[in-house]
Amino acid sequence: MLLKVADLYTEVPNAGGMAPRCRDYLTEDKVSADIIIRAELYNYEKHPESSDEMVAYMGSAAQFYREIVKFSGLYLHSSAIEYEGRAYLFSGPSGRGKSTHTRLWQSLFGESARVFNDDKPALRLINGVWQAYGTPWCGKDGININMKAPLSGICFLKRGEENSIRRLSEIEAAAQIISQTMYRFKDVENLDLMISHVNKLVSDIPVYELHCLPNEDAARLSYETMKKGAMEAGV
Amino acid sequence: MKIKENFVLREIAGTNVVLPIGSANVDLNGMIKLNASGVLLWHALEKGAEKNDLIEVILAEYDIDKETAEADVSAFIEKLARIGCLEI
């Protein structure tokens, strides 16, 4: 299947039930692929406990995200929401409440706040602007919208006794981002590309840490803080 | 002594950080950050160096006495050994 993902022509094999996830990304354009994903590289033997669908999902995501560094891109393990024409990413390890938080934004702001990816949205630096994209790698039951929006902020979530948010320093932000993105590269050149993207990302985009309860006040706090930070940063 | 092949030094957000390559995930909060003298010693160890070579490196760069240099080098070697990046 030839798709257009994150403005990159990507060949994704049908194997492992990827077709439904990829449907919204299919393209009729007659071009050669920027990125080619190979089903023969899916490592079924290494993950005997996982379903074929899971192996195909993880394998195709890994190949795509290893290649995207060559195109000024990376992913962030996060729930991505678009509101007022801007994208905000809520990140952290699994189970930290990323999707819960973006759903709270939806309950506060209504239909005009759209979650477009719940697992691995792509980020690419295009003409000096960080764009956040929906991708076929959207999580188990995740929402999947083939759209993009300019990135305004990133927030790492931690469970808390109360709602509090702070701006991270660039090195703190880089450490958190690296822990939630592709790190394992066969070539050190690609690792270096990823690091250069992260360095640029943390110097352009405000990054926060939010300790929170799963309530609407937390969503109000993250929105107001991140919106203000974005305006000050000009993103 | 030499730095093992699967550890590299990289500048991240202006800080020199030791990174393990080839592992699936990394928790940078546990990673060690090097200051200027640490970076000098790291580069010497990348090529392979013994303790006395490292002391020479410090003495050539900084105006301190030999005991202090020796103590700093010992502490540095211990820090690297603790994260398992040194081949003795």
Side-chain angles (χ1 to χ4, degrees):
Chain A
M1 302 176 280
L2 186 65
L3 313 182
K4 202 169 179 196
V5 183
D7 284 330
L8 292 166
Y9 288 100
T10 307
E11 185 61 53
V12 179
N14 261 315
M18 284 301 292
R21 294 180 183 280
C22 296
R23 201 180 346 254
D24 290 341
Y25 297 84
L26 288 168
T27 179
E28 302 265 296
D29 297 349
K30 301 276 179 274
V31 290
S32 53
D34 300 299
I35 295 178
I36 297 173
I37 294 172
R38 309 198 132 91
E40 57 271 24
L41 298 178
Y42 295 164
N43 207 333
Y44 296 100
E45 295 78 42
K46 199 171 172 193
H47 305 280
E49 74 294 348
S50 298
S51 65
D52 286 357
E53 284 75 23
M54 181 56 108
V55 175
Y57 179 94
M58 300 297 287
S60 55
Q63 289 182 46
F64 181 78
Y65 285 115
R66 278 204 192 96
E67 290 301 304
I68 204 181
V69 290
K70 299 172 189 162
F71 300 94
S72 306
L74 68 164
Y75 82 87
L76 188 66
H77 179 218
S78 60
S79 179
I81 186 162
E82 178 267 323
Y83 182 53
E84 299 172 323
R86 318 295 298 183
Y88 299 88
L89 266 46
F90 290 90
S91 183
S94 299
R96 276 288 169 84
K98 306 186 282 295
S99 305
T100 306
H101 198 77
T102 49
R103 298 307 181 275
L104 286 167
W105 274 45
Q106 289 186 302
S107 91
L108 264 187
F109 303 125
E111 273 176 16
S112 56
R114 296 183 292 165
V115 174
F116 59 95
N117 188 297
D118 252 344
D119 182 25
K120 296 180 172 65
L123 294 175
R124 284 186 68 205
L125 184 65
I126 311 273
N127 297 326
V129 176
W130 285 100
Q131 298 285 350
Y133 294 86
T135 72
W137 301 283
C138 55
K140 204 161 41 132
D141 313 306
I143 309 294
N144 186 351
I145 309 179
N146 181 1
M147 59 170 275
K148 71 179 178 196
L151 182 64
S152 276
I154 295 174
C155 184
F156 288 91
L157 298 176
K158 304 243 181 322
R159 293 238 169 81
E161 302 293 304
E162 52 176 27
N163 297 319
S164 70
I165 192 167
R166 72 175 181 99
R167 175 87 180 255
L168 296 182
S169 68
E170 284 189 15
I171 182 65
E172 288 176 309
Q176 298 269 31
I177 289 167
I178 290 178
S179 75
Q180 296 301 319
T181 190
M182 169 65 67
Y183 182 77
R184 190 175 201 172
F185 294 94
K186 293 193 196 89
D187 301 313
V188 85
E189 291 78 25
N190 292 330
L191 173 74
D192 287 340
L193 280 171
M194 183 276 282
I195 290 171
S196 72
H197 302 332
V198 173
N199 282 336
K200 180 91 176 94
L201 185 59
V202 299
S203 96
D204 290 346
I205 304 289
V207 181
Y208 299 87
E209 184 177 87
L210 173 71
H211 282 84
C212 65
L213 298 160
N215 61 27
E216 279 189 358
D217 279 343
R220 239 174 247 117
L221 178 63
S222 64
Y223 167 69
E224 275 157 25
T225 311
M226 292 173 83
K227 176 152 189 195
K228 180 158 182 276
M231 280 173 49
E232 285 165 3
V235 291
Chain B
M1 290 180 292
K2 203 168 186 234
I3 305 287
K4 288 183 188 166
E5 264 184 16
N6 58 329
F7 284 87
V8 295
L9 184 66
R10 288 296 184 268
E11 193 176 318
I12 297 179
T15 307
N16 291 295
V17 181
V18 174
L19 292 181
I21 57 175
S23 48
N25 298 103
V26 66
D27 176 9
L28 268 194
N29 294 308
M31 281 298 109
I32 64 176
K33 304 170 178 79
L34 301 189
N35 61 16
S37 61
V39 172
L40 273 181
L41 293 175
W42 178 276
H43 288 312
L45 281 165
E46 273 178 328
K47 303 187 196 94
E50 292 315 310
K51 193 170 170 191
N52 285 323
D53 304 317
L54 299 178
I55 295 172
E56 290 305 309
V57 167
I58 293 295
L59 290 176
E61 186 70 21
Y62 298 98
D63 190 17
I64 56 175
D65 62 87
K66 189 151 190 233
E67 276 94 39
T68 311
E70 193 169 345
D72 288 349
V73 164
S74 297
F76 184 74
I77 292 172
E78 201 197 329
K79 187 165 145 179
L80 292 192
R82 234 181 294 131
I83 65 164
C85 67
L86 259 192
E87 245 168 49
I88 309 270

